[in-house]
Amino acid sequence: MLHRTKEGANNIVFNVLFPILIFNILLTSKIESSAILIVVYVFIAFVLTMFIGKLFTKFTGERFSHISYFMLTTCEGGNVALPLYTSIVGVAYASNTVIFDLAGTLIAFVLIPIMVAKLNAGQTSPKELAKTIFTNSFVIAVILGLGLNLLGVYNMLAQTPFIDVYTNTINMITGPIIGMILFIIGYNLKINMDTLGSLLKLLIVRIVLFAFVIVGFFVFFPHLMADKIYMLAVLIYFMCPTGFALPMQISPLFKSEEDNSYTAALISLNMVVTLIVYTVIVIFIV
C-alpha cells in the first residue's frame, strides 16, 4: 500500500506539479543581460561536473555507474539554498541564488530528459527520438515558460486584476511539492553498508568538483565575489545537494529499487555537508 502511495506521489510530482512549477519559474524570472554570463558559466559548470564525474565511475563504483554521474550535477536551490541563504541575508537578495537555478533548470529539465530519452531509445529513429524529447512535459514547460517570458506576457499579466488569481492558483498547485518529494526521498532512503563506500566516494567527488566551481567564481567574477553577500550565495548554493527532482528525472534508467535508495542516500548525506557549511558560515563569516 505504501509502495503504491509512493509511486502515485512520484507520478503526480514528476508528470504534473514539477512541469507547472518550472513553467512558472521561467515565466516570472527577470532575466537581465548582466546575468546571462553567470547563467552560461553555471550551465557549463553543471555539464562538466556530470561528464567529469563519468570519468570517475571506476573510483565511485561500477555498480551504479549508469546513474551515479547524473547525481553530480545541479544543486537544490529552491528548497535548500534559498531558505538557508535568505535566513542570513534576507529575502531582498533572493535573486542571487535564483539566477543559478535558471542554469540548473535547463540542465535538469531539458538536457537530462534528452539524455535519458536517448539512452532509453536504443535503435529508435531520430524522428521518434525527437518526438519523445519534445513531447516531454518538462521540455514543453521550459519552452513555453522561456518563450512567454521573452514575449513579456507575465509583465502584461501583472498589470491586470488576473495576476492575483494566477499567483494564488500556482501557489495552491505547487504547494504540496516539497512535502511529496521529501516523502519519496524518505521512502527510498535505505543506506546499506555495502553501498556506503560508493556513496562516500561519490560525495567526495561532488564536493571537490563544486569546490572548483566556487573557485571559478573568484576567477571569472571577482567583482561579484568581493561582495560578501554575493559570496555567501555562491558558497551555500554550490554546497547544496543534488536537485530533489533529479532522481525522478533519471528514474527510467533505474535497474532496481536499490538505485532509488542510492540516489536518496546521496542527497541525504549531502544535506549533512550543506548544514555543516551553513553552520561554519554563520559562526565564522557572518
Side-chain angles (χ1 to χ4, degrees):
M1 179 66 181
L2 190 59
H3 176 74
R4 289 197 298 271
T5 301
K6 190 271 291 188
E7 289 300 317
N10 190 80
N11 287 330
I12 292 171
V13 171
F14 184 77
N15 294 314
V16 181
L17 301 184
F18 253 117
I20 294 173
L21 176 64
I22 294 309
F23 168 79
N24 184 62
I25 288 173
L26 293 175
L27 175 67
T28 59
S29 295
K30 293 182 180 179
I31 306 175
E32 300 176 359
S33 57
S34 59
I36 292 177
L37 285 178
I38 297 171
V39 174
V40 170
Y41 170 73
V42 176
F43 180 87
I44 293 172
F46 280 152
V47 172
L48 288 176
T49 57
M50 180 168 47
F51 285 101
I52 292 174
K54 194 170 185 179
L55 301 176
F56 284 86
T57 51
K58 285 188 177 180
F59 171 71
T60 58
E62 295 285 349
R63 186 173 170 186
F64 298 100
S65 60
H66 57 294
I67 57 170
S68 59
Y69 62 97
F70 285 107
M71 297 301 292
L72 295 173
T73 191
T74 75
C75 297
E76 181 51 49
N79 296 308
V80 179
L82 185 60
L84 290 180
Y85 178 59
T86 54
S87 72
I88 297 174
V89 303
V91 294
Y93 299 96
S95 61
N96 287 338
T97 61
V98 171
I99 292 299
F100 305 149
D101 268 345
L102 291 178
T105 297
L106 294 175
I107 293 290
F109 300 108
V110 178
L111 180 61
I112 287 180
I114 290 173
M115 292 175 66
V116 170
K118 193 170 187 301
L119 288 170
N120 275 336
Q123 299 300 317
T124 303
S125 68
K127 183 178 179 180
E128 291 173 329
L129 177 59
K131 181 180 178 181
T132 300
I133 292 168
F134 290 104
T135 55
N136 181 284
S137 57
F138 289 99
V139 176
I140 293 171
V142 169
I143 292 172
L144 285 176
L146 282 176
L148 294 178
N149 183 307
L150 294 174
L151 291 173
V153 170
Y154 182 74
N155 290 333
M156 289 186 283
L157 181 64
Q159 306 302 318
T160 71
F162 295 105
I163 185 61
D164 290 334
V165 175
Y166 172 80
T167 302
N168 292 334
T169 302
I170 289 293
N171 290 339
M172 180 180 66
I173 292 173
T174 60
I177 287 180
I178 183 59
M180 295 176 77
I181 289 178
L182 291 176
F183 165 72
I184 293 167
I185 291 174
Y187 180 90
N188 291 330
L189 180 57
K190 300 179 186 71
I191 301 179
N192 300 320
M193 292 307 296
D194 59 338
T195 63
L196 183 59
S198 174
L199 283 166
L200 291 175
K201 288 178 182 179
L202 189 63
L203 181 60
I204 289 170
V205 171
R206 180 178 168 87
I207 292 171
V208 170
L209 288 175
F210 279 98
F212 277 106
V213 174
I214 293 171
V215 170
F217 268 91
F218 283 100
V219 173
F220 297 112
F221 308 103
H223 60 293
L224 293 175
M225 296 300 282
D227 179 355
K228 187 171 78 170
I229 290 177
Y230 189 87
M231 180 184 69
L232 293 179
V234 173
L235 294 177
I236 292 173
Y237 184 90
F238 292 101
M239 283 294 111
C240 280
T242 306
F244 289 168
L246 201 136
M248 289 182 285
Q249 292 286 65
I250 63 173
S251 60
L253 302 178
F254 289 172
K255 297 178 180 179
S256 67
E257 279 297 312
E258 199 170 32
D259 289 348
N260 261 325
S261 301
Y262 187 81
T263 57
L266 181 71
I267 289 175
S268 299
L269 289 173
N270 203 156
M271 274 298 301
V272 175
V273 174
T274 303
L275 293 176
I276 291 173
V277 171
Y278 174 77
T279 302
V280 170
I281 286 174
V282 170
I283 294 174
F284 298 105
I285 299 180
V286 177

